[in-house]
Amino acid sequence: MCGIIGYAGHRPAVPLIVEGLRRLEYRGYDSAGVATVQNKEIDLVRAEGKLAALDEKLSHINVTNSTFGVGHTRWATHGVPVEKNAHPHLDHDKNIAMIHNGIIENYQEIKAELVTKGYEFRSDTDSEVLVNLIAEGRKHNDTMLKAVSWALNQVEGAYAIALVAVDEPGTVYAARVSSPMVMGVGVGENFVASDIPAFLPYTRKVVFIEDGELVKITSSSWEVFRAENLAPVEKEVQTINWDVQAAQKGGHKHFMIKEIFEQPKVISDCLAGRININSSTDIGEVVLPEISAMEPPERLHIIACGTSYHAGLWGKYLIEQWAKIPVDVEIASEFRYRDPLLSKGSLALAISQSGETADTLAGIKLAKQKGLPILGLCNVVGSSVARESDYIMYTQAGPEISVASTKAMCSQLTALLLLALYWGKRKGVLDEETYSRAVQDLRNLPSILDAELPAMRARAKELSREYSEANSFFYLGRGQYFPLALEGALKLKEISYIHAEGYAAGEMKHGPIALIDPKFPTFAMALKDELFPKVKSNLVEVQARGGEIIALTNPGVELDVEHRWILPEVWGPLNAFMALPALQLFAYETADYLGKDVDQPRNLAKSVTVE
Ligand code: F6R
């Protein structure tokens, strides 16, 4: 949540920072701001609303040519999203400009103390308290580096901060605890940011900043210290293989539709290096070097939030069926506050696209305290989940920019399927026929999906026109399609703001069916599998109450509903990979038709780094 960027280099900082913020805007979009220093004065420009409002404001003023500065795009936690609460925040004497992502938990005590020393506050934020504490620190320390360390030693909570100060032109300081931060190492310029896309056009060389580290960058140097005692820290510069194009819309109207259409490639990329083909038999074998040193667990606890949680629910079906490992799937925000009974021999599997979700990280911490090893399934290389895990499997989906997660789930399903196959084989509990069929058909899946996506989109468009007036939707499914029903409902509500409930189809008659009337449509997952006859009778019950039905189904399935949406049939669980984009496309086309802000839905932000 919140996007931050700090720059020290040779280019005019304001346009570069605003461009960087544009690539981070998915992290928050309540307000935005930028600060640079010129002639010993801070130049601060902030605006309420999306980045476009800041752009508009900047177009009417002469901005400085300063070549260092900080910028922020906000997702409000403390203080309503108005300009005075927008970042950067200045200290009382306007010598320091600071941006902050996260929450300072003890800000009230610190504020009370600072007020007694004569500090006045202009905003309602916890962030302004921290910048003033740093200013106070500057009075007791001879360098800004020491002042920042002095202040950070007193705060509790989560933060990623970056700041510039009038008495140190050309320098940006940054630090983090439990909020993401990465440094970009360029030629004659250096960057800090919440996420790599912010500086991707300028460098692919990155240094991942760890909790408790404090960074000092100038155009020609970068140094990392332990914030508590300023001990220097050796860091490794890594080169990431994301390209700039992957973080741009590439001619699509929205990131979301681009990412939906990337799913065939996402499956191939996730499989890359994980299926070894035996040239004599042409049968592939799943190899997962990331976890080869680990015995298959006796029990698995999946910890995740939102869409990643839905992926976990889906994975449970396969891991239990193929690998005969009992699986509990836990909503991370619940798990972290329980006293779960975690037996020896169990493994915690944390699923997270961003790798920065606060609840998932807290779940990892708890599982660790209870002695469980952690396997992270994560998209963002070097993220907190990756670093907190004992074993890490990357989903290799590339940058996901749309706030509504799509391709990340597809990659998570692929990885979970590989895990089920791998453990099933290693334990010797999965029959050879299922194993080789799954591997074979997985390899063919990307091309089948790729060919089908344009037709799916056309069908989604058609149906979205007919149902865009609906106030509510049910999404129903059984077996592996129940988690997909939850996901379909989540996608629709988060981007189109139409109320939607995902249900296990068999649960309808235990209460929810009371809601059905001719204006309350149902989106049914009625694909061909052994549970189809059960789904069919649930749908008859819905129809008997006058409810209209859109049914995702396969050729040759007999079903008398208002709208049959026929998807090509693939093998067994792989049908989920066909159904998922259909659900995403229906939500997308509905939201777009209704004129909603698809990539940046209201009240949401990508990467939920606060509780
Ligand atoms: C929904 C969505 C969220 C995320 C959730 C977990 O479209 O994006 O529900 O899935 O916030 O995020 P990660 O996977 O980054 O931990």
Side-chain angles (χ1 to χ4, degrees), residues 290-309:
E290 307 95 322
I291 57 163
S292 57
M294 181 210 298
E295 284 303 310
E298 283 162 27
R299 189 174 195 98
L300 190 66
H301 295 270
I302 296 182
I303 309 164
C305 301
T307 292
S308 298
Y309 167 72

Side-chain angles (χ1 to χ4, degrees), residues 305-308 351-355 357 403-405 490-491 494 608:
C305 301
T307 292
S308 298
I351 308 179
S352 174
Q353 185 285 129
S354 62
T357 301
V403 166
S405 183
L490 176 61
K491 285 287 94 82
E494 70 179 323
V608 185

Side-chain angles (χ1 to χ4, degrees), residues 60-270:
H60 297 296
I61 47 184
N62 277 337
V63 291
T64 68
N65 284 326
S66 168
T67 57
F68 71 108
V70 291
H72 188 271
T73 171
R74 179 170 188 247
W75 190 86
T77 50
H78 284 77
V80 291
V82 293
E83 187 176 327
K84 72 168 181 170
N85 291 332
H87 297 226
H89 288 284
L90 304 187
D91 68 303
H92 177 259
D93 294 329
K94 303 190 177 168
N95 289 325
I96 305 170
M98 191 196 81
I99 49 178
H100 169 217
N101 170 17
I103 295 173
I104 304 298
E105 282 162 8
N106 59 339
Y107 80 101
Q108 272 161 330
E109 294 99 287
I110 297 173
K111 187 171 182 176
E113 177 85 30
L114 289 172
V115 167
T116 63
K117 293 189 167 129
Y119 285 83
E120 282 165 19
F121 292 85
R122 308 175 188 99
S123 78
D124 311 319
T125 65
D126 52 339
S127 316
E128 195 189 2
V129 175
L130 179 53
V131 69
N132 277 296
L133 187 65
I134 294 171
E136 177 63 15
R138 190 69 182 87
K139 293 182 187 160
H140 305 286
N141 293 279
D142 57 352
T143 63
M144 185 51 85
L145 182 69
K146 288 185 193 163
V148 178
S149 161
W150 178 90
L152 294 182
N153 276 327
Q154 300 174 58
V155 298
E156 286 159 22
Y159 54 80
I161 59 162
L163 60 93
V164 289
V166 293
D167 63 358
E168 268 198 59
T171 304
V172 175
Y173 290 96
R176 69 159 276 181
V177 169
S178 303
S179 284
M181 175 172 291
V182 57
M183 181 164 73
V185 179
V187 178
E189 57 190 349
N190 291 305
F191 309 77
V192 285
S194 337
D195 203 353
I196 295 166
F199 52 72
L200 203 50
Y202 307 101
T203 183
R204 288 203 216 154
K205 294 206 174 339
V206 304
V207 174
F208 294 105
I209 306 304
E210 304 284 342
D211 279 355
E213 290 179 349
L214 170 56
V215 179
K216 178 181 178 181
I217 59 168
T218 66
S219 61
S220 56
S221 67
W222 58 269
E223 290 167 281
V224 181
F225 308 90
R226 291 296 311 158
E228 56 184 343
N229 56 11
L230 295 180
V233 183
E234 290 269 316
K235 302 291 288 186
E236 189 192 342
V237 180
Q238 300 184 28
T239 304
I240 46 118
N241 61 6
W242 290 7
D243 61 18
V244 181
Q245 248 186 350
Q248 289 173 348
K249 278 189 212 156
H252 291 275
K253 186 171 176 191
H254 298 105
F255 278 111
M256 183 175 176
I257 190 72
K258 172 180 177 249
E259 289 163 7
I260 292 173
F261 271 75
E262 279 171 357
Q263 290 177 109
K265 181 170 181 308
V266 162
I267 299 171
S268 309
D269 288 351
C270 187

